[in-house]
Amino acid sequence: MLEVSNLQKKYKKRLVLENISFQMKQGDIVGLVGENGAGKSTLLQLLATVMQPTQGEIVLDGLSYASDMKKIRRRIGYVPQELSIWDEFTVEENMRFFEKLSWKRRTKEECRQLCLDMQLTQWKEPVQSLSGGMKRKLNLVISLLHDPVLLLLDEPTVGIDLKSKTEIGSYLHSLAKKEGKMILYTSHDMDEITHICDRVYAIGKDPFYTNLLTEHNLIVEQLR
Ligand SMILES: Nc1ncnc2c1ncn2[C@@H]1O[C@H](COP(=O)(O)OP(=O)(O)O)[C@@H](O)[C@H]1O
Ligand SMILES: [Mg+2]
């Protein structure tokens, strides 16, 4: 379970997030929406321990971010918007490389299977020859190597072909529902969000997103 209480983030004097409180439980897949600059990436970075909040508390499965950072990190998978994979190397080489850096040991077969589960089949191909969607899948698979309980994804489906997008969406949904992972991800695609999310958090001052999603009969919570 993830419990976020009264989170605040200031960059110097600039207040970006304020009074952010919510909870997620195992199996929840939640969309995070808001206009550009609303603070979506900032919130994900706080939850990913990349940055510290200026106020507030985060607790994951009873562990406090303030005092159990090391244990927390093992439980989190975070994929920032920019890809971080080796272009000149094959899918296999990337998986083997990141497996060595990972908290958890995985055999070559397990690495391969993780890719296949995501419908990423080009095991022997260099990353630079893959489509944007396939690269995105590889980046996601790498974040799953250590079997995190909380997955934080910053625009995992932006700018890729519809087939990859649909496959990624249904894979994320099954990770939540079959493996009980908690998934929080940002997207601008309302169709996708209505299909795969249990509920949606809207941040920022613009009521546009909240209104739009309410029209789609989705459960929307305005975080601020
Ligand atoms: N490292 C930073 N230093 C200062 N300001 C930042 C930094 N990162 C983001 N911001 C500002 O915080 C606000 C929220 O940014 P961000 O979290 O990236 O929003 P979103 O992902 O919703 O577009 C923006 O106004 C952005 O310019
Ligand atoms: Mg962002």
Side-chain angles (χ1 to χ4, degrees):
M1 183 162 188
L2 176 72
E3 297 159 278
V4 175
S5 323
N6 274 314
L7 222 51
Q8 183 207 63
K9 179 67 187 174
K10 283 182 183 167
Y11 290 115
K12 301 242 166 73
K13 283 191 181 156
R14 185 148 186 258
L15 185 60
V16 175
L17 296 174
E18 195 186 15
N19 274 328
I20 302 285
S21 299
F22 63 90
Q23 298 192 341
M24 286 178 66
K25 58 180 189 341
Q26 280 211 325
D28 278 350
I29 176 163
V30 179
L32 180 62
V33 302
E35 74 271 15
N36 283 336
K40 303 180 294 298
S41 298
T42 300
L43 178 57
L44 291 185
Q45 287 173 61
L46 296 177
L47 295 172
T49 76
V50 176
M51 285 190 310
Q52 315 303 319
T54 39
Q55 266 182 41
E57 198 189 14
I58 313 174
V59 176
L60 177 61
D61 293 339
L63 299 166
S64 159
Y65 272 50
S67 54
D68 289 307
M69 183 76 93
K70 271 193 177 162
K71 287 184 189 157
I72 297 277
R73 286 204 168 131
R74 287 172 180 248
R75 286 159 203 260
I76 293 172
Y78 168 55
V79 186
Q81 208 181 325
E82 317 76 46
L83 293 171
S84 50
I85 44 183
W86 299 95
D87 242 11
E88 325 72 274
F89 294 121
T90 64
V91 170
E92 174 176 7
E93 288 161 344
N94 268 278
M95 288 299 286
R96 305 280 274 166
F97 174 83
F98 285 104
E99 187 273 334
K100 289 201 167 50
L101 297 184
S102 166
W103 307 101
K104 188 177 165 140
R105 295 286 61 80
R106 297 280 202 175
T107 64
K108 185 173 153 184
E109 269 323 299
E110 285 173 329
C111 289
R112 177 116 201 232
Q113 192 56 50
L114 277 173
C115 290
L116 292 175
D117 292 346
M118 184 75 98
Q119 284 161 290
L120 170 58
T121 52
Q122 297 102 317
W123 186 243
K124 294 280 182 194
E125 282 192 39
V127 167
Q128 59 201 1
S129 70
L130 302 183
S131 69
M134 290 297 163
K135 288 183 190 176
R136 186 51 69 176
K137 285 180 182 177
L138 177 56
N139 222 183
L140 281 170
V141 174
I142 287 167
S143 76
L144 295 171
L145 276 167
H146 62 296
D147 201 19
V149 295
L150 173 64
L151 258 186
L152 305 161
L153 312 172
D154 208 344
E155 312 213 11
T157 57
V158 77
I160 59 176
D161 62 276
L162 187 58
K163 181 162 179 282
S164 294
K165 193 174 172 136
T166 312
E167 287 169 353
I168 288 174
S170 54
Y171 186 63
L172 292 178
H173 189 264
S174 75
L175 276 178
K177 299 307 163 194
K178 294 196 186 123
E179 297 189 25
K181 295 192 189 301
M182 293 180 271
I183 304 179
L184 180 64
Y185 85 100
T186 64
S187 174
H188 288 284
D189 188 326
M190 294 302 159
D191 273 346
E192 174 193 293
I193 285 181
T194 32
H195 271 104
I196 73 169
C197 293
D198 299 313
R199 59 184 188 283
V200 184
Y201 295 147
I203 55 174
K205 297 187 188 79
D206 195 333
F208 174 83
Y209 290 90
T210 313
N211 296 340
L212 189 67
L213 290 158
T214 310
E215 281 166 27
H216 280 86
N217 290 322
L218 258 181
I219 305 168
V220 186
E221 254 174 72
Q222 179 77 35
L223 289 185
R224 183 176 83 113

